[in-house]
Amino acid sequence: MRKILVIHGPNLNLLGDRESEFYGTTTLDEINQRISKLARELDCQVEFLQSNHEGVIVDAIGSSKGKVDVIIINPAAFTHTSVAIRDAVSGVKIPTIEVHLSNIYNREEFRSKSLIAPAAVGQISGFGVNSYLLALRAAVFMVKK
Ligand code: DQA
């Protein structure tokens, strides 16, 4: 069975009433439920991690080697700052898809640079909750059963 790890970075635990003009009103629990429902339809297993701590995310990526087939990550603010998460993604060689709820290219200038993207297979940005669902479909396309 295909295994996919979904990582949500800092402040995504606040979704629902956090800057809803950018991120919508869906809570993180609801997003995870939508992902789980699609995972059942696509016959794959998903695990979730949300952390506000860079090191926890680096550890989770590092310890996933050999355990998951694909990582889907919304690195949130760490997208724009974290060499450590980029190096973890490059280091484990697990195909990784970067996801953003908002379009990081039509907001503040500093958001248009992702340190993670060069280490990822690809990036899906700007489709709200559907960014995660599109990423899950892409993950399943990449990995055969
Ligand atoms: C985000 C975009 C980031 O710039 C921001 O720091 C976030 C959320 C998104 O999903 O649109 O926290 O990753």
Side-chain angles (χ1 to χ4, degrees):
M1 167 91 86
R2 289 166 294 215
K3 281 199 185 157
I4 294 156
L5 173 62
V6 180
I7 301 176
H8 304 286
N11 298 310
L12 296 175
N13 54 315
L14 303 178
L15 288 175
D17 61 8
R18 173 194 177 207
E19 298 183 278
S20 57
E21 65 279 22
F22 294 117
Y23 305 126
T25 52
T26 311
T27 65
L28 189 61
D29 270 356
E30 289 163 351
I31 290 176
N32 287 345
Q33 281 168 27
R34 300 260 314 261
I35 296 169
S36 296
K37 182 171 178 279
L38 181 62
R40 283 192 295 276
E41 287 165 28
L42 299 176
D43 196 23
C44 59
Q45 245 177 43
V46 276
E47 284 169 31
F48 298 101
L49 169 75
Q50 189 280 322
S51 180
N52 296 324
H53 303 278
E54 188 176 17
V56 171
I57 295 173
V58 169
D59 285 346
I61 294 169
S63 61
S64 292
K65 201 169 169 57
K67 295 189 189 142
V68 305
D69 299 302
V70 181
I71 295 173
I72 294 172
I73 182 168
N74 182 347
F78 291 145
T79 307
H80 319 296
T81 62
S82 182
V83 176
I85 293 176
R86 178 205 184 121
D87 286 352
V89 169
S90 301
V92 290
K93 295 196 176 77
I94 300 169
T96 297
I97 302 172
E98 180 180 330
V99 158
H100 299 284
L101 295 155
S102 64
N103 178 351
I104 59 171
Y105 300 99
N106 69 6
R107 299 183 58 194
E108 301 96 324
E109 182 66 31
F110 71 87
R111 292 188 203 275
S112 66
K113 173 84 184 159
S114 168
L115 295 188
I116 315 302
V121 178
Q123 184 195 68
I124 301 170
S125 179
F127 299 95
V129 182
N130 283 320
S131 291
Y132 285 96
L133 303 179
L134 290 165
L136 186 59
R137 289 186 187 278
V140 167
F141 270 120
M142 270 194 301
V143 183
K144 296 211 164 54
K145 273 193 202 178

